[in-house]
Structures are given as structure tokens and as C-alpha cells.
Amino acid sequence: MKRTPKSVVSLLLCMVMALSLLCSCAREPDNTQPDAPRNDAPAGQEVETPKDGPAPEEDVITVMVPPLSNNYFAEMKKWADQFHEEYPHLTLKVIETSWDDHDQKLSTMASAGEAPDIAEVAYYNVGKYVQNGTAIDMSRYMSAEQMADYDANVLAFLQMDGGTYGAPLYTGIQTIGANRDMLEAAGVDVDKVQTGGWTFDEFLEALKNGTTDSCYGFVFSASGVTSADYVNVFGKAAGLNSAFNEDLKYDFTSRKMLNLLQATEDMVAAGYMPDYGIEALARWTMCITGEAMIVGKAPSSFENLARKNNAALDANDGTATENSIRITYARLPMPMMEGVPESCFASVDGLAMFRNVETTEEHLKNVATALYWLSSGDRAGFLCGDCFETPVCGSGREAFSKYAQEGMDERNAACGEYLVSKVIAPPAGVSAEQQETASRLLDEVIVPKVQALLAGEVGAQDAYQMIVDAAVEAFGEENCNLN
């Protein structure tokens, strides 16, 4: 038998070793591959899923809103479809409310652990949701770039205790408005008032001259929870600029509150105002049917509503409000009582994130995605255009030109600029606990007393004392302004 040369044996051994190494590599994990894709995208932004990775889990996000503008509900339906097209795994479920029931419904749902994921909230109501732990600090789930999109001075209205509890939609000046022709017939120099203000005595004189058997001089929405608007908005006439003064003492116990209640009692007794609470929609209907000369609260969008109703009357197409008349709408400053610095109510309304019993961290990321989407870009541009307001985020301003209304009354525009110059911001340093307590007192004590006052069931002095007693019990006498 012939022996194999040593060189051949060596070659064979090398081949065996190489094959063994290859087999070993095939069996062991490859630790030299790149790391799995990291989720480094800012919170609140969609993360692209690798084509060979798992699809995002489907999620439903509930959004509860009142009619923020005349066409808001119709647009929300369209936006829900558009959002689902952009984020196929996310679905928006829209819950429509009225202005009369929205706040109460949200409060009840939040207390029961059934809050919607996103809901409209006014800045002065934020505290109670921060206090009860249902409001979510949205800055934890949004990127720095998204947060920077909102105007910082407006965002500040929705910030407290180091957190941000809402994405601002607009800052609205809420005041009073009127049928210009009626007001001029009552002897008022409307142009002068719109850019220079007026006194409360001048206001009362106008009511005296403009009130008839078929027309109230002044109607303010004060039915149910909207009575809070009477205090927050019309209360500026008496100097009630905030629930707290600069010393952070509760201010709705001051002489200013008594002055407001006394003036209200007098106007009802004189027949200038109805002796019952008017619902939010009814006060506008009364204005365009000639049953009210001056109405409140009055956002800037009322001018647009008047124009549309006038157009419907001209077209005679059956879409105008029944029994309505053509009106020229005039925006007005608040009449000021003697010695009170002029001011007006600036409200910041926003969309806030809420926690409920089923909330998870992953769900909150999806909610933040929807929150930013609904409060920015085209959505913000449309809403402000529809409301005759100015967008309060950069992306909204970029889109605004597509939605801005044309033909706005220059006199109302000038009045708007005058009103903005008179805004007095709430004092800094009010805690969530203070705001929550103030909100509770407003809803549970002041609102019922205003309604009782309008109905003649209680006098101004008695209503005031009941408010003082409740506030002293809640805050302590040392924390209330009793001067």
C-alpha cells in the first residue's frame, strides 16, 4: 500500500479545519451585526417601523370638544379621516358637546376615571385637573421642536407647577358686542367707544335708551355653567381681573364682587336685563332677531356670524335664522366702573391630555401625536380663520393665509387692537391647589348665587355674604381680600 505524501496530508488537515470553522460560524449568533433600530425620535412623533419589523399596534384616541367655531364639528369629522390616513394605526373618536354642558361633562368624566384622552379646556379650569391628577404634562411626550411651535406667552397660560397642561388653540378676547344701528339710535358714539372705551354710567344710559317692550338693552349668557362667564368676563367692569390679586389673595371676596352683584340686581330691576339665565346660543339669536341691543360674552367670531346671516337673508334661501334681521355688528370694550383701570378678558382655550383608568405610557405617546396634530398647522389655521382670531403657533400662522376671512369691518379690527392693549394677565405664582379651589367655588357657590340673583331669589348683599363665607372657609380669612 502506498503512503500518502506528508504535503498532501497537511493540505487535507487544513481543509478540514476550515470547514469546521465555517460550520461553527453558521451555528453561532452573529454578534457583529448593527444594533436594532433605536426609538430616538422625539416623544409624540411617529417612529418609522422597519419593513421587516412588527406593525404598530392599533389605538383609539377619544377627543371631546364643544363647537369652537361655527364649522368646527364638520371639520373635525374630516380631520379624523385625514389623521387616520397619515397614521393608519391610530383612530380619532370625536365626542361633540355643547358650550352649556362641556365643562360639567368633562369634570364628571375625569372624576370617574373615564376622561377622554383629549379635551378642550379653558386655562382657568386647568388647575382642578392638575390637582386631581387627571391632567397630563404634555411636554413629557412632545419634542422640543413641537413645544417651540407654540407662542411662549400664550403657552404660559396653560403652565403651572413646572408642567404644561394644554396646547393653546387661540387667545380670544371676550367682551360684549352690539347691533350698531340700535346702539347709535340709543345715542352712543360707537366709533369713539370702540377705540377709547366708555364708563359704566355711559353704558347704563345706553341701556336705558335702548330697552323697549320687545328688546332688552343687555343680554349676557348666564344659564347653568355659563354664569361663570358673567363673572370672569363682565366682572372686568368691576375690576375683577382674576380670582386672585397680585398678593395672591382670593379677590372674589372684595368690594369689587359686591359692586358687580349690585349693578346686576339694578339692571334686572330696571328691566334692562332678563330676570332669568340666557343660554349661550339664545343670546346671539336674540341679537340677530332684534330682541337684544348689547350681548355678551361676545367673541370676535360674532361679526362673521352676522355677515353670514345677512347673506342668507339677502339670498332668501331659507338658511337665515328664523325672524332674524340684517344687523351691522359692533365689537365693544367693557364699560368700566368708577376708579377701575380698563381691562378686558383674554381667554386661552386649548386641547389638553387626560389620564383615565385605561391609560398606558404607549397610549399617551399616541395621544400626544394626535394632540399636536390637532392644534397645529392647517387645523390651527382653519380654526383661527373661522373664529376671526390670530393663530398662536408658528405652523398655524404659516397655514393661516388659506383660511383668513376677507372683508372684516375695519372698525371692529381697530377695536380688537384696542382690546388687546388692555389685557391684564393673571398674577404669576397661583398654585394648582389655589386654582382648583377657586374653580370649585366658582362652580359650586358663585354660579348658583348669580343665577339666584338674576331670578330675584336673593339680593346682591346676601349673595355677596354667602360667597365671602364660603371663600373664607375654603381659603382662610387671611388669604381672602375683604377690602
Side-chain angles (χ1 to χ4, degrees):
M1 180 174 174
K2 292 179 65 177
R3 300 179 61 185
T4 305
K6 290 183 179 182
S7 60
V8 174
V9 172
S10 298
L11 180 60
L12 289 172
L13 286 173
C14 289
M15 291 175 65
V16 170
M17 291 174 66
L19 285 170
S20 175
L21 182 60
L22 286 172
C23 291
S24 175
C25 289
R27 287 193 302 269
E28 294 178 6
D30 183 1
N31 295 321
T32 64
Q33 294 298 316
D35 291 339
R38 294 174 57 194
N39 181 357
D40 282 337
Q45 291 185 353
E46 185 181 36
V47 179
E48 227 178 88
T49 303
K51 293 181 180 179
D52 57 348
E57 291 188 13
E58 293 187 0
D59 200 0
V60 177
I61 299 163
T62 55
V63 183
M64 190 168 83
V65 288
L68 294 174
S69 76
N70 199 40
N71 300 296
Y72 195 66
F73 284 162
E75 291 301 309
M76 278 294 292
K77 290 182 173 65
K78 298 176 185 176
W79 294 340
D81 292 338
Q82 293 171 7
F83 182 76
H84 187 61
E85 289 177 6
E86 292 188 34
Y87 302 90
H89 63 297
L90 301 180
T91 300
L92 290 182
K93 178 183 177 183
V94 180
I95 303 172
E96 298 179 0
T97 60
S98 71
W99 281 116
D100 287 331
D101 70 5
H102 178 81
D103 288 346
Q104 184 58 51
K105 188 171 184 177
L106 176 58
S107 180
T108 300
M109 292 174 71
S111 297
E114 300 172 352
D117 300 310
I118 297 172
E120 184 274 343
V121 64
Y123 81 93
Y124 50 81
N125 281 330
V126 167
K128 65 181 177 182
Y129 298 114
V130 175
Q131 187 67 19
N132 67 21
T134 55
I136 300 293
D137 178 3
M138 73 179 197
S139 65
R140 293 178 51 212
Y141 299 93
M142 287 190 185
S143 69
E145 182 180 3
Q146 289 172 327
M147 293 295 293
D149 189 24
Y150 304 109
D151 293 354
N153 62 327
V154 178
L155 199 63
F157 275 75
L158 298 166
Q159 293 174 328
M160 64 174 49
D161 295 350
T164 302
Y165 295 94
L169 294 172
Y170 54 77
T171 175
I173 301 295
Q174 296 174 4
T175 178
I176 55 177
N179 180 322
R180 176 181 283 271
D181 296 333
M182 282 187 177
L183 203 58
E184 290 178 341
V188 177
D189 184 341
V190 181
D191 290 345
K192 181 179 178 181
V193 168
Q194 284 189 306
T195 56
W198 53 341
T199 68
F200 205 80
D201 286 341
E202 291 172 331
F203 172 72
L204 291 176
E205 184 66 18
L207 300 191
K208 177 183 176 181
N209 296 335
T211 299
T212 67
D213 291 340
S214 59
C215 177
Y216 286 106
F218 182 44
V219 169
F220 200 102
S221 57
S223 172
V225 296
T226 60
S227 297
D229 292 329
Y230 187 75
V231 176
N232 286 322
V233 178
F234 195 69
K236 296 293 185 289
L240 293 171
N241 291 315
S242 171
F244 298 91
N245 63 16
E246 293 299 323
D247 296 326
L248 301 186
K249 289 189 175 185
Y250 187 65
D251 209 29
F252 284 1
T253 51
S254 68
R255 181 80 187 183
K256 292 174 279 190
M257 174 61 80
L258 178 58
N259 291 341
L260 174 67
L261 297 175
Q262 188 62 64
T264 303
E265 185 177 36
D266 293 344
M267 288 187 289
V268 171
Y272 303 158
M273 288 180 70
D275 59 357
Y276 58 93
I278 297 293
E279 293 185 356
L281 178 60
R283 101 279 201 183
W284 175 243
T285 301
M286 292 177 74
C287 183
I288 59 175
T289 56
E291 298 173 82
M293 179 176 67
I294 301 175
V295 295
K297 64 180 180 180
S300 56
S301 59
F302 274 11
E303 180 187 333
N304 196 32
L305 293 180
R307 290 196 319 166
K308 288 182 177 180
N309 196 72
N310 288 342
L313 287 171
D314 292 342
N316 195 25
D317 59 6
T319 61
T321 298
E322 186 176 0
N323 298 323
S324 60
I325 60 176
R326 284 188 59 87
I327 72 165
T328 301
Y329 178 75
R331 201 175 187 190
L332 300 172
M334 199 64 66
M336 308 310 295
M337 295 183 183
E338 186 177 356
V340 175
E342 188 168 3
S343 66
C344 62
F345 182 84
S347 175
V348 174
D349 283 26
L351 294 178
M353 294 172 59
F354 287 88
R355 184 188 308 279
N356 55 54
V357 293
E358 298 180 353
T359 300
T360 65
E361 282 297 301
E362 195 59 38
H363 180 64
L364 287 176
K365 294 177 184 178
N366 293 333
V367 173
T369 297
L371 177 65
Y372 178 71
W373 192 88
L374 287 169
S375 60
S376 63
D378 272 23
R379 281 70 55 193
F382 169 83
L383 177 59
C384 289
D386 209 32
C387 290
F388 272 49
E389 300 290 0
T390 301
V392 292
C393 64
S395 60
R397 281 188 287 274
E398 290 177 5
F400 186 64
S401 60
K402 293 186 288 185
Y403 305 106
Q405 301 281 352
E406 295 181 0
M408 184 175 181
D409 190 316
E410 292 182 0
R411 297 166 297 186
N412 287 337
C415 183
E417 293 179 9
Y418 179 77
L419 291 170
V420 169
S421 72
K422 300 301 178 182
V423 170
I424 298 177
V430 177
S431 69
E433 182 179 3
Q434 285 178 300
Q435 193 177 64
E436 190 277 333
T437 303
S439 180
R440 178 173 56 79
L441 284 173
L442 184 62
D443 293 340
E444 298 178 5
V445 180
I446 299 176
V447 162
K449 297 302 174 286
V450 169
Q451 293 171 339
L453 180 67
L454 290 171
E457 298 170 356
V458 65
Q461 184 65 54
D462 289 340
Y464 170 70
Q465 192 58 53
M466 293 175 192
I467 293 169
V468 170
D469 291 344
V472 167
E473 182 178 352
F475 287 109
E477 184 173 343
E478 70 280 6
N479 295 315
C480 294
N481 179 16
L482 301 175
N483 298 318

